[in-house]
PDB file of all heavy atoms in Angstrom:
ATOM      1  N   SER N 220     103.686  82.525  96.516  1.00  0.00           N
ATOM      2  CA  SER N 220     102.325  82.817  96.162  1.00  0.00           C
ATOM      3  C   SER N 220     102.392  83.512  94.776  1.00  0.00           C
ATOM      4  O   SER N 220     101.548  83.102  93.858  1.00  0.00           O
ATOM      5  CB  SER N 220     101.561  83.639  97.166  1.00  0.00           C
ATOM      6  OG  SER N 220     100.328  84.049  96.711  1.00  0.00           O
ATOM      7  N   THR N 221     103.302  84.514  94.581  1.00  0.00           N
ATOM      8  CA  THR N 221     103.249  85.223  93.273  1.00  0.00           C
ATOM      9  C   THR N 221     103.624  84.303  92.220  1.00  0.00           C
ATOM     10  O   THR N 221     103.026  84.388  91.234  1.00  0.00           O
ATOM     11  CB  THR N 221     104.260  86.496  93.386  1.00  0.00           C
ATOM     12  OG1 THR N 221     103.797  87.258  94.536  1.00  0.00           O
ATOM     13  CG2 THR N 221     104.222  87.254  92.155  1.00  0.00           C
ATOM     14  N   GLU N 222     104.705  83.538  92.338  1.00  0.00           N
ATOM     15  CA  GLU N 222     105.090  82.631  91.216  1.00  0.00           C
ATOM     16  C   GLU N 222     104.035  81.567  91.048  1.00  0.00           C
ATOM     17  O   GLU N 222     103.660  81.161  89.791  1.00  0.00           O
ATOM     18  CB  GLU N 222     106.410  81.863  91.600  1.00  0.00           C
ATOM     19  CG  GLU N 222     106.920  81.091  90.453  1.00  0.00           C
ATOM     20  CD  GLU N 222     108.310  80.456  90.660  1.00  0.00           C
ATOM     21  OE1 GLU N 222     108.898  80.611  91.890  1.00  0.00           O
ATOM     22  OE2 GLU N 222     108.679  79.800  89.869  1.00  0.00           O
ATOM     23  N   ASN N 223     103.281  81.020  92.149  1.00  0.00           N
ATOM     24  CA  ASN N 223     102.203  80.226  91.861  1.00  0.00           C
ATOM     25  C   ASN N 223     101.162  80.753  91.043  1.00  0.00           C
ATOM     26  O   ASN N 223     100.550  80.072  90.225  1.00  0.00           O
ATOM     27  CB  ASN N 223     101.642  79.808  93.247  1.00  0.00           C
ATOM     28  CG  ASN N 223     102.601  78.945  94.012  1.00  0.00           C
ATOM     29  OD1 ASN N 223     103.748  78.327  93.510  1.00  0.00           O
ATOM     30  ND2 ASN N 223     102.329  78.710  95.393  1.00  0.00           N
ATOM     31  N   TYR N 224     100.798  81.914  91.258  1.00  0.00           N
ATOM     32  CA  TYR N 224      99.714  82.703  90.546  1.00  0.00           C
ATOM     33  C   TYR N 224     100.251  82.734  89.018  1.00  0.00           C
ATOM     34  O   TYR N 224      99.485  82.490  88.093  1.00  0.00           O
ATOM     35  CB  TYR N 224      99.400  84.195  91.043  1.00  0.00           C
ATOM     36  CG  TYR N 224      98.594  84.884  90.263  1.00  0.00           C
ATOM     37  CD1 TYR N 224      97.267  84.608  90.051  1.00  0.00           C
ATOM     38  CD2 TYR N 224      99.138  86.066  89.489  1.00  0.00           C
ATOM     39  CE1 TYR N 224      96.490  85.449  89.398  1.00  0.00           C
ATOM     40  CE2 TYR N 224      98.333  86.758  88.739  1.00  0.00           C
ATOM     41  CZ  TYR N 224      96.946  86.399  88.524  1.00  0.00           C
ATOM     42  OH  TYR N 224      96.163  87.293  87.820  1.00  0.00           O
ATOM     43  N   GLN N 225     101.580  83.120  88.809  1.00  0.00           N
ATOM     44  CA  GLN N 225     102.040  83.310  87.432  1.00  0.00           C
ATOM     45  C   GLN N 225     101.962  81.853  86.760  1.00  0.00           C
ATOM     46  O   GLN N 225     101.515  81.796  85.522  1.00  0.00           O
ATOM     47  CB  GLN N 225     103.410  83.867  87.404  1.00  0.00           C
ATOM     48  CG  GLN N 225     103.447  85.274  87.985  1.00  0.00           C
ATOM     49  CD  GLN N 225     104.819  85.674  88.138  1.00  0.00           C
ATOM     50  OE1 GLN N 225     105.802  84.983  88.230  1.00  0.00           O
ATOM     51  NE2 GLN N 225     105.103  86.969  88.529  1.00  0.00           N
ATOM     52  N   ARG N 226     102.201  80.850  87.383  1.00  0.00           N
ATOM     53  CA  ARG N 226     102.154  79.578  86.785  1.00  0.00           C
ATOM     54  C   ARG N 226     100.763  79.121  86.374  1.00  0.00           C
ATOM     55  O   ARG N 226     100.597  78.663  85.269  1.00  0.00           O
ATOM     56  CB  ARG N 226     102.707  78.556  87.785  1.00  0.00           C
ATOM     57  CG  ARG N 226     104.273  78.525  87.851  1.00  0.00           C
ATOM     58  CD  ARG N 226     104.699  77.493  88.926  1.00  0.00           C
ATOM     59  NE  ARG N 226     106.259  77.540  89.018  1.00  0.00           N
ATOM     60  CZ  ARG N 226     106.903  76.676  89.770  1.00  0.00           C
ATOM     61  NH1 ARG N 226     106.202  75.807  90.678  1.00  0.00           N
ATOM     62  NH2 ARG N 226     108.202  76.617  89.873  1.00  0.00           N
ATOM     63  N   LEU N 227      99.802  79.331  87.328  1.00  0.00           N
ATOM     64  CA  LEU N 227      98.450  78.968  87.092  1.00  0.00           C
ATOM     65  C   LEU N 227      97.813  79.899  85.964  1.00  0.00           C
ATOM     66  O   LEU N 227      96.986  79.436  85.296  1.00  0.00           O
ATOM     67  CB  LEU N 227      97.703  78.936  88.316  1.00  0.00           C
ATOM     68  CG  LEU N 227      97.965  78.040  89.441  1.00  0.00           C
ATOM     69  CD1 LEU N 227      97.120  78.214  90.692  1.00  0.00           C
ATOM     70  CD2 LEU N 227      97.786  76.534  88.873  1.00  0.00           C
ATOM     71  N   ASN N 228      98.256  81.121  85.978  1.00  0.00           N
ATOM     72  CA  ASN N 228      97.648  81.978  85.112  1.00  0.00           C
ATOM     73  C   ASN N 228      98.054  81.818  83.697  1.00  0.00           C
ATOM     74  O   ASN N 228      97.449  82.266  82.632  1.00  0.00           O
ATOM     75  CB  ASN N 228      98.073  83.411  85.417  1.00  0.00           C
ATOM     76  CG  ASN N 228      97.334  84.529  84.796  1.00  0.00           C
ATOM     77  OD1 ASN N 228      96.101  84.307  84.524  1.00  0.00           O
ATOM     78  ND2 ASN N 228      97.804  85.655  84.550  1.00  0.00           N
ATOM     79  N   ASN N 229      99.126  80.928  83.352  1.00  0.00           N
ATOM     80  CA  ASN N 229      99.568  80.620  82.162  1.00  0.00           C
ATOM     81  C   ASN N 229      98.752  79.338  81.687  1.00  0.00           C
ATOM     82  O   ASN N 229      98.780  78.237  82.041  1.00  0.00           O
ATOM     83  CB  ASN N 229     101.142  80.266  82.141  1.00  0.00           C
ATOM     84  CG  ASN N 229     101.488  79.741  80.767  1.00  0.00           C
ATOM     85  OD1 ASN N 229     100.799  79.872  79.788  1.00  0.00           O
ATOM     86  ND2 ASN N 229     102.766  79.496  80.730  1.00  0.00           N
ATOM     87  N   PRO N 230      97.846  79.705  80.552  1.00  0.00           N
ATOM     88  CA  PRO N 230      97.066  78.597  80.209  1.00  0.00           C
ATOM     89  C   PRO N 230      97.713  77.361  79.564  1.00  0.00           C
ATOM     90  O   PRO N 230      97.172  76.214  79.516  1.00  0.00           O
ATOM     91  CB  PRO N 230      96.089  79.144  79.044  1.00  0.00           C
ATOM     92  CG  PRO N 230      96.925  80.442  78.600  1.00  0.00           C
ATOM     93  CD  PRO N 230      97.621  80.817  79.806  1.00  0.00           C
ATOM     94  N   ASP N 231      98.920  77.616  79.037  1.00  0.00           N
ATOM     95  CA  ASP N 231      99.746  76.527  78.510  1.00  0.00           C
ATOM     96  C   ASP N 231     100.609  75.792  79.462  1.00  0.00           C
ATOM     97  O   ASP N 231     101.319  74.811  79.138  1.00  0.00           O
ATOM     98  CB  ASP N 231     100.581  77.127  77.403  1.00  0.00           C
ATOM     99  CG  ASP N 231      99.800  77.748  76.220  1.00  0.00           C
ATOM    100  OD1 ASP N 231      98.741  77.215  75.987  1.00  0.00           O
ATOM    101  OD2 ASP N 231     100.275  78.785  75.695  1.00  0.00           O
ATOM    102  N   SER N 232     100.639  76.241  80.700  1.00  0.00           N
ATOM    103  CA  SER N 232     101.487  75.534  81.747  1.00  0.00           C
ATOM    104  C   SER N 232     100.865  74.158  82.146  1.00  0.00           C
ATOM    105  O   SER N 232      99.609  73.959  82.020  1.00  0.00           O
ATOM    106  CB  SER N 232     101.683  76.389  82.907  1.00  0.00           C
ATOM    107  OG  SER N 232     100.510  76.582  83.654  1.00  0.00           O
ATOM    108  N   GLU N 233     101.834  73.372  82.656  1.00  0.00           N
ATOM    109  CA  GLU N 233     101.250  72.015  83.196  1.00  0.00           C
ATOM    110  C   GLU N 233     100.647  72.081  84.494  1.00  0.00           C
ATOM    111  O   GLU N 233     100.114  71.096  85.053  1.00  0.00           O
ATOM    112  CB  GLU N 233     102.452  71.110  83.148  1.00  0.00           C
ATOM    113  CG  GLU N 233     103.584  71.457  84.019  1.00  0.00           C
ATOM    114  CD  GLU N 233     104.770  70.583  83.849  1.00  0.00           C
ATOM    115  OE1 GLU N 233     104.540  69.384  83.434  1.00  0.00           O
ATOM    116  OE2 GLU N 233     105.861  71.016  84.151  1.00  0.00           O
ATOM    117  N   TYR N 234     100.772  73.248  85.231  1.00  0.00           N
ATOM    118  CA  TYR N 234     100.368  73.429  86.688  1.00  0.00           C
ATOM    119  C   TYR N 234      98.789  73.502  86.575  1.00  0.00           C
ATOM    120  O   TYR N 234      98.136  74.285  85.765  1.00  0.00           O
ATOM    121  CB  TYR N 234     100.835  74.588  87.325  1.00  0.00           C
ATOM    122  CG  TYR N 234     102.415  74.472  87.331  1.00  0.00           C
ATOM    123  CD1 TYR N 234     103.158  75.144  86.323  1.00  0.00           C
ATOM    124  CD2 TYR N 234     103.085  73.839  88.241  1.00  0.00           C
ATOM    125  CE1 TYR N 234     104.598  75.085  86.331  1.00  0.00           C
ATOM    126  CE2 TYR N 234     104.403  73.646  88.258  1.00  0.00           C
ATOM    127  CZ  TYR N 234     105.263  74.381  87.272  1.00  0.00           C
ATOM    128  OH  TYR N 234     106.550  74.161  87.399  1.00  0.00           O
ATOM    129  N   GLU N 235      98.040  72.659  87.536  1.00  0.00           N
ATOM    130  CA  GLU N 235      96.648  72.650  87.521  1.00  0.00           C
ATOM    131  C   GLU N 235      96.138  73.367  88.835  1.00  0.00           C
ATOM    132  O   GLU N 235      95.013  73.809  88.839  1.00  0.00           O
ATOM    133  CB  GLU N 235      96.052  71.202  87.277  1.00  0.00           C
ATOM    134  CG  GLU N 235      96.453  70.665  85.915  1.00  0.00           C
ATOM    135  CD  GLU N 235      96.280  69.221  85.948  1.00  0.00           C
ATOM    136  OE1 GLU N 235      97.065  68.401  86.606  1.00  0.00           O
ATOM    137  OE2 GLU N 235      95.256  68.761  85.374  1.00  0.00           O
ATOM    138  N   VAL N 236      96.904  73.125  89.829  1.00  0.00           N
ATOM    139  CA  VAL N 236      96.395  73.543  91.155  1.00  0.00           C
ATOM    140  C   VAL N 236      97.522  74.232  91.843  1.00  0.00           C
ATOM    141  O   VAL N 236      98.783  73.868  91.681  1.00  0.00           O
ATOM    142  CB  VAL N 236      95.934  72.417  91.976  1.00  0.00           C
ATOM    143  CG1 VAL N 236      95.382  72.774  93.394  1.00  0.00           C
ATOM    144  CG2 VAL N 236      94.867  71.653  91.278  1.00  0.00           C
ATOM    145  N   GLY N 237      97.317  75.106  92.768  1.00  0.00           N
ATOM    146  CA  GLY N 237      98.318  75.657  93.574  1.00  0.00           C
ATOM    147  C   GLY N 237      97.806  76.510  94.723  1.00  0.00           C
ATOM    148  O   GLY N 237      96.606  76.671  94.881  1.00  0.00           O
ATOM    149  N   PHE N 238      98.736  76.900  95.630  1.00  0.00           N
ATOM    150  CA  PHE N 238      98.383  77.718  96.827  1.00  0.00           C
ATOM    151  C   PHE N 238      98.553  79.172  96.523  1.00  0.00           C
ATOM    152  O   PHE N 238      99.845  79.479  96.157  1.00  0.00           O
ATOM    153  CB  PHE N 238      99.086  77.210  98.080  1.00  0.00           C
ATOM    154  CG  PHE N 238      98.635  75.871  98.427  1.00  0.00           C
ATOM    155  CD1 PHE N 238      99.532  74.749  98.279  1.00  0.00           C
ATOM    156  CD2 PHE N 238      97.463  75.668  99.287  1.00  0.00           C
ATOM    157  CE1 PHE N 238      99.162  73.476  98.695  1.00  0.00           C
ATOM    158  CE2 PHE N 238      97.127  74.404  99.626  1.00  0.00           C
ATOM    159  CZ  PHE N 238      97.905  73.271  99.329  1.00  0.00           C
ATOM    160  N   ILE N 239      97.690  79.938  96.889  1.00  0.00           N
ATOM    161  CA  ILE N 239      97.866  81.417  96.568  1.00  0.00           C
ATOM    162  C   ILE N 239      97.503  82.136  97.878  1.00  0.00           C
ATOM    163  O   ILE N 239      96.558  81.822  98.485  1.00  0.00           O
ATOM    164  CB  ILE N 239      96.999  82.015  95.439  1.00  0.00           C
ATOM    165  CG1 ILE N 239      97.661  81.441  94.137  1.00  0.00           C
ATOM    166  CG2 ILE N 239      97.134  83.500  95.365  1.00  0.00           C
ATOM    167  CD1 ILE N 239      96.916  81.789  92.889  1.00  0.00           C
ATOM    168  N   GLN N 240      98.357  83.178  98.310  1.00  0.00           N
ATOM    169  CA  GLN N 240      98.145  83.765  99.589  1.00  0.00           C
ATOM    170  C   GLN N 240      97.198  85.016  99.241  1.00  0.00           C
ATOM    171  O   GLN N 240      97.376  85.785  98.280  1.00  0.00           O
ATOM    172  CB  GLN N 240      99.568  84.346 100.153  1.00  0.00           C
ATOM    173  CG  GLN N 240      99.373  85.072 101.430  1.00  0.00           C
ATOM    174  CD  GLN N 240     100.730  85.511 101.814  1.00  0.00           C
ATOM    175  OE1 GLN N 240     101.679  84.818 101.710  1.00  0.00           O
ATOM    176  NE2 GLN N 240     100.813  86.940 102.288  1.00  0.00           N
ATOM    177  N   SER N 241      96.167  85.227 100.180  1.00  0.00           N
ATOM    178  CA  SER N 241      95.211  86.281  99.790  1.00  0.00           C
ATOM    179  C   SER N 241      95.823  87.601  99.865  1.00  0.00           C
ATOM    180  O   SER N 241      96.878  87.757 100.779  1.00  0.00           O
ATOM    181  CB  SER N 241      94.161  86.192 100.971  1.00  0.00           C
ATOM    182  OG  SER N 241      94.657  86.532 102.279  1.00  0.00           O
ATOM    183  N   GLY N 242      95.494  88.487  99.054  1.00  0.00           N
ATOM    184  CA  GLY N 242      96.096  89.871  98.984  1.00  0.00           C
ATOM    185  C   GLY N 242      97.340  90.005  98.331  1.00  0.00           C
ATOM    186  O   GLY N 242      97.883  91.119  98.277  1.00  0.00           O
ATOM    187  N   THR N 243      97.842  88.919  97.566  1.00  0.00           N
ATOM    188  CA  THR N 243      99.093  89.110  96.933  1.00  0.00           C
ATOM    189  C   THR N 243      99.039  89.201  95.350  1.00  0.00           C
ATOM    190  O   THR N 243      99.960  89.221  94.713  1.00  0.00           O
ATOM    191  CB  THR N 243     100.053  87.932  97.291  1.00  0.00           C
ATOM    192  OG1 THR N 243      99.313  86.641  96.832  1.00  0.00           O
ATOM    193  CG2 THR N 243     100.328  87.868  98.682  1.00  0.00           C
ATOM    194  N   THR N 244      97.745  89.130  94.866  1.00  0.00           N
ATOM    195  CA  THR N 244      97.455  89.149  93.378  1.00  0.00           C
ATOM    196  C   THR N 244      96.388  90.060  93.129  1.00  0.00           C
ATOM    197  O   THR N 244      95.620  90.481  93.888  1.00  0.00           O
ATOM    198  CB  THR N 244      97.231  87.725  92.802  1.00  0.00           C
ATOM    199  OG1 THR N 244      95.974  87.202  93.474  1.00  0.00           O
ATOM    200  CG2 THR N 244      98.239  86.726  93.139  1.00  0.00           C
ATOM    201  N   ASN N 245      96.267  90.497  91.816  1.00  0.00           N
ATOM    202  CA  ASN N 245      95.244  91.191  91.240  1.00  0.00           C
ATOM    203  C   ASN N 245      94.448  90.498  90.172  1.00  0.00           C
ATOM    204  O   ASN N 245      94.631  90.793  89.028  1.00  0.00           O
ATOM    205  CB  ASN N 245      95.721  92.527  90.776  1.00  0.00           C
ATOM    206  CG  ASN N 245      96.346  93.397  91.840  1.00  0.00           C
ATOM    207  OD1 ASN N 245      95.632  93.720  92.759  1.00  0.00           O
ATOM    208  ND2 ASN N 245      97.592  93.945  91.601  1.00  0.00           N
ATOM    209  N   PRO N 246      93.755  89.489  90.537  1.00  0.00           N
ATOM    210  CA  PRO N 246      93.103  88.547  89.557  1.00  0.00           C
ATOM    211  C   PRO N 246      92.018  89.282  88.795  1.00  0.00           C
ATOM    212  O   PRO N 246      91.515  90.295  89.130  1.00  0.00           O
ATOM    213  CB  PRO N 246      92.392  87.460  90.490  1.00  0.00           C
ATOM    214  CG  PRO N 246      92.145  88.088  91.836  1.00  0.00           C
ATOM    215  CD  PRO N 246      93.333  89.002  91.990  1.00  0.00           C
ATOM    216  N   SER N 247      91.867  88.620  87.608  1.00  0.00           N
ATOM    217  CA  SER N 247      90.918  89.201  86.520  1.00  0.00           C
ATOM    218  C   SER N 247      90.020  88.026  86.133  1.00  0.00           C
ATOM    219  O   SER N 247      90.445  86.866  86.277  1.00  0.00           O
ATOM    220  CB  SER N 247      91.576  89.950  85.521  1.00  0.00           C
ATOM    221  OG  SER N 247      92.334  89.130  84.753  1.00  0.00           O
ATOM    222  N   GLU N 248      89.038  88.354  85.439  1.00  0.00           N
ATOM    223  CA  GLU N 248      88.085  87.357  84.932  1.00  0.00           C
ATOM    224  C   GLU N 248      88.799  86.503  83.827  1.00  0.00           C
ATOM    225  O   GLU N 248      88.457  85.309  83.556  1.00  0.00           O
ATOM    226  CB  GLU N 248      86.868  87.903  84.267  1.00  0.00           C
ATOM    227  CG  GLU N 248      86.031  88.464  85.442  1.00  0.00           C
ATOM    228  CD  GLU N 248      84.662  89.101  84.736  1.00  0.00           C
ATOM    229  OE1 GLU N 248      84.559  89.020  83.637  1.00  0.00           O
ATOM    230  OE2 GLU N 248      83.860  89.665  85.573  1.00  0.00           O
ATOM    231  N   THR N 249      89.734  87.170  83.141  1.00  0.00           N
ATOM    232  CA  THR N 249      90.503  86.368  82.050  1.00  0.00           C
ATOM    233  C   THR N 249      91.558  85.289  82.624  1.00  0.00           C
ATOM    234  O   THR N 249      92.079  84.705  81.711  1.00  0.00           O
ATOM    235  CB  THR N 249      91.179  87.381  81.101  1.00  0.00           C
ATOM    236  OG1 THR N 249      92.083  88.215  81.826  1.00  0.00           O
ATOM    237  CG2 THR N 249      90.139  88.394  80.458  1.00  0.00           C
ATOM    238  N   ASP N 250      91.698  85.244  83.791  1.00  0.00           N
ATOM    239  CA  ASP N 250      92.691  84.437  84.443  1.00  0.00           C
ATOM    240  C   ASP N 250      92.170  82.922  84.353  1.00  0.00           C
ATOM    241  O   ASP N 250      92.996  82.109  84.258  1.00  0.00           O
ATOM    242  CB  ASP N 250      92.945  84.723  85.901  1.00  0.00           C
ATOM    243  CG  ASP N 250      93.742  86.024  86.167  1.00  0.00           C
ATOM    244  OD1 ASP N 250      94.257  86.446  85.112  1.00  0.00           O
ATOM    245  OD2 ASP N 250      93.602  86.504  87.236  1.00  0.00           O
ATOM    246  N   HIS N 251      90.905  82.746  84.298  1.00  0.00           N
ATOM    247  CA  HIS N 251      90.230  81.475  84.246  1.00  0.00           C
ATOM    248  C   HIS N 251      90.769  80.663  85.402  1.00  0.00           C
ATOM    249  O   HIS N 251      91.120  79.399  85.331  1.00  0.00           O
ATOM    250  CB  HIS N 251      90.550  80.718  82.818  1.00  0.00           C
ATOM    251  CG  HIS N 251      90.072  81.458  81.653  1.00  0.00           C
ATOM    252  ND1 HIS N 251      88.756  81.491  81.384  1.00  0.00           N
ATOM    253  CD2 HIS N 251      90.671  82.181  80.711  1.00  0.00           C
ATOM    254  CE1 HIS N 251      88.554  82.238  80.323  1.00  0.00           C
ATOM    255  NE2 HIS N 251      89.706  82.672  79.867  1.00  0.00           N
ATOM    256  N   LEU N 252      90.874  81.167  86.512  1.00  0.00           N
ATOM    257  CA  LEU N 252      91.138  80.455  87.824  1.00  0.00           C
ATOM    258  C   LEU N 252      90.045  80.459  88.663  1.00  0.00           C
ATOM    259  O   LEU N 252      89.023  81.282  88.586  1.00  0.00           O
ATOM    260  CB  LEU N 252      92.318  81.153  88.486  1.00  0.00           C
ATOM    261  CG  LEU N 252      93.644  81.307  87.670  1.00  0.00           C
ATOM    262  CD1 LEU N 252      94.740  82.002  88.454  1.00  0.00           C
ATOM    263  CD2 LEU N 252      94.174  79.855  87.210  1.00  0.00           C
ATOM    264  N   GLN N 253      89.935  79.513  89.583  1.00  0.00           N
ATOM    265  CA  GLN N 253      88.788  79.364  90.590  1.00  0.00           C
ATOM    266  C   GLN N 253      89.330  78.913  91.913  1.00  0.00           C
ATOM    267  O   GLN N 253      90.301  78.213  92.049  1.00  0.00           O
ATOM    268  CB  GLN N 253      87.841  78.434  89.969  1.00  0.00           C
ATOM    269  CG  GLN N 253      88.344  76.951  89.747  1.00  0.00           C
ATOM    270  CD  GLN N 253      87.299  76.116  89.221  1.00  0.00           C
ATOM    271  OE1 GLN N 253      86.229  76.478  88.801  1.00  0.00           O
ATOM    272  NE2 GLN N 253      87.682  74.834  89.074  1.00  0.00           N
ATOM    273  N   THR N 254      88.588  79.377  93.011  1.00  0.00           N
ATOM    274  CA  THR N 254      89.152  78.978  94.247  1.00  0.00           C
ATOM    275  C   THR N 254      88.363  77.650  94.641  1.00  0.00           C
ATOM    276  O   THR N 254      87.104  77.467  94.416  1.00  0.00           O
ATOM    277  CB  THR N 254      88.589  80.006  95.318  1.00  0.00           C
ATOM    278  OG1 THR N 254      89.322  81.240  95.187  1.00  0.00           O
ATOM    279  CG2 THR N 254      88.827  79.546  96.707  1.00  0.00           C
ATOM    280  N   ILE N 255      89.184  76.631  94.950  1.00  0.00           N
ATOM    281  CA  ILE N 255      88.704  75.376  95.570  1.00  0.00           C
ATOM    282  C   ILE N 255      88.235  75.556  97.034  1.00  0.00           C
ATOM    283  O   ILE N 255      87.078  75.213  97.296  1.00  0.00           O
ATOM    284  CB  ILE N 255      89.605  74.320  95.470  1.00  0.00           C
ATOM    285  CG1 ILE N 255      90.190  74.163  93.957  1.00  0.00           C
ATOM    286  CG2 ILE N 255      89.154  72.903  95.957  1.00  0.00           C
ATOM    287  CD1 ILE N 255      89.000  73.522  93.031  1.00  0.00           C
ATOM    288  N   ALA N 256      89.100  76.232  97.714  1.00  0.00           N
ATOM    289  CA  ALA N 256      88.682  76.472  99.116  1.00  0.00           C
ATOM    290  C   ALA N 256      89.760  77.472  99.840  1.00  0.00           C
ATOM    291  O   ALA N 256      90.975  77.440  99.363  1.00  0.00           O
ATOM    292  CB  ALA N 256      88.446  75.241  99.983  1.00  0.00           C
ATOM    293  N   ALA N 257      89.421  78.083 100.744  1.00  0.00           N
ATOM    294  CA  ALA N 257      90.263  78.750 101.721  1.00  0.00           C
ATOM    295  C   ALA N 257      90.615  77.775 102.805  1.00  0.00           C
ATOM    296  O   ALA N 257      89.732  77.082 103.316  1.00  0.00           O
ATOM    297  CB  ALA N 257      89.699  79.934 102.322  1.00  0.00           C
ATOM    298  N   VAL N 258      91.945  77.411 102.950  1.00  0.00           N
ATOM    299  CA  VAL N 258      92.333  76.274 103.789  1.00  0.00           C
ATOM    300  C   VAL N 258      92.970  76.701 105.094  1.00  0.00           C
ATOM    301  O   VAL N 258      93.085  75.667 105.929  1.00  0.00           O
ATOM    302  CB  VAL N 258      93.223  75.362 102.923  1.00  0.00           C
ATOM    303  CG1 VAL N 258      92.558  74.868 101.720  1.00  0.00           C
ATOM    304  CG2 VAL N 258      94.572  76.082 102.435  1.00  0.00           C
ATOM    305  N   SER N 259      93.600  77.775 105.211  1.00  0.00           N
ATOM    306  CA  SER N 259      94.231  77.982 106.514  1.00  0.00           C
ATOM    307  C   SER N 259      94.633  79.487 106.683  1.00  0.00           C
ATOM    308  O   SER N 259      94.746  80.182 105.670  1.00  0.00           O
ATOM    309  CB  SER N 259      95.542  77.231 106.511  1.00  0.00           C
ATOM    310  OG  SER N 259      96.303  77.415 107.790  1.00  0.00           O
ATOM    311  N   TYR N 260      94.809  79.934 107.933  1.00  0.00           N
ATOM    312  CA  TYR N 260      95.397  81.261 108.117  1.00  0.00           C
ATOM    313  C   TYR N 260      96.900  81.099 107.957  1.00  0.00           C
ATOM    314  O   TYR N 260      97.525  80.061 108.247  1.00  0.00           O
ATOM    315  CB  TYR N 260      95.123  81.695 109.496  1.00  0.00           C
ATOM    316  CG  TYR N 260      93.706  82.309 109.766  1.00  0.00           C
ATOM    317  CD1 TYR N 260      93.095  82.029 110.826  1.00  0.00           C
ATOM    318  CD2 TYR N 260      93.223  83.184 108.824  1.00  0.00           C
ATOM    319  CE1 TYR N 260      91.851  82.551 111.076  1.00  0.00           C
ATOM    320  CE2 TYR N 260      92.051  83.798 109.007  1.00  0.00           C
ATOM    321  CZ  TYR N 260      91.223  83.496 110.087  1.00  0.00           C
ATOM    322  OH  TYR N 260      89.957  83.967 110.190  1.00  0.00           O
ATOM    323  N   GLU N 261      97.564  82.252 107.484  1.00  0.00           N
ATOM    324  CA  GLU N 261      99.067  82.248 107.398  1.00  0.00           C
ATOM    325  C   GLU N 261      99.460  83.440 108.295  1.00  0.00           C
ATOM    326  O   GLU N 261      99.456  84.587 107.798  1.00  0.00           O
ATOM    327  CB  GLU N 261      99.417  82.516 105.924  1.00  0.00           C
ATOM    328  CG  GLU N 261      99.143  81.333 104.996  1.00  0.00           C
ATOM    329  CD  GLU N 261      99.727  81.566 103.677  1.00  0.00           C
ATOM    330  OE1 GLU N 261     100.897  81.497 103.448  1.00  0.00           O
ATOM    331  OE2 GLU N 261      98.913  81.972 102.714  1.00  0.00           O
TER     332      GLU N 261
END
């Protein structure tokens, strides 16, 4: 999850979508990321 967040948070990366585990990041408005959906319990 942490690496997925870092990849998506990079505006120049080729990654467009990823899975992130709730409670593992400290997102901010400048991340320019959005939730498509919560999909499952882990």
Side-chain angles (χ1 to χ4, degrees):
S220 176
T221 303
E222 185 177 1
N223 291 345
Y224 171 72
Q225 292 169 349
R226 286 176 172 181
L227 292 174
N228 194 30
N229 180 1
D231 299 323
S232 73
E233 58 188 337
Y234 301 97
E235 300 165 285
V236 181
F238 294 101
I239 294 179
Q240 179 181 320
S241 64
T243 60
T244 61
N245 293 307
S247 64
E248 294 182 1
T249 58
D250 292 341
H251 298 290
L252 301 180
Q253 60 185 5
T254 296
I255 300 298
V258 296
S259 178
Y260 280 138
E261 295 185 71

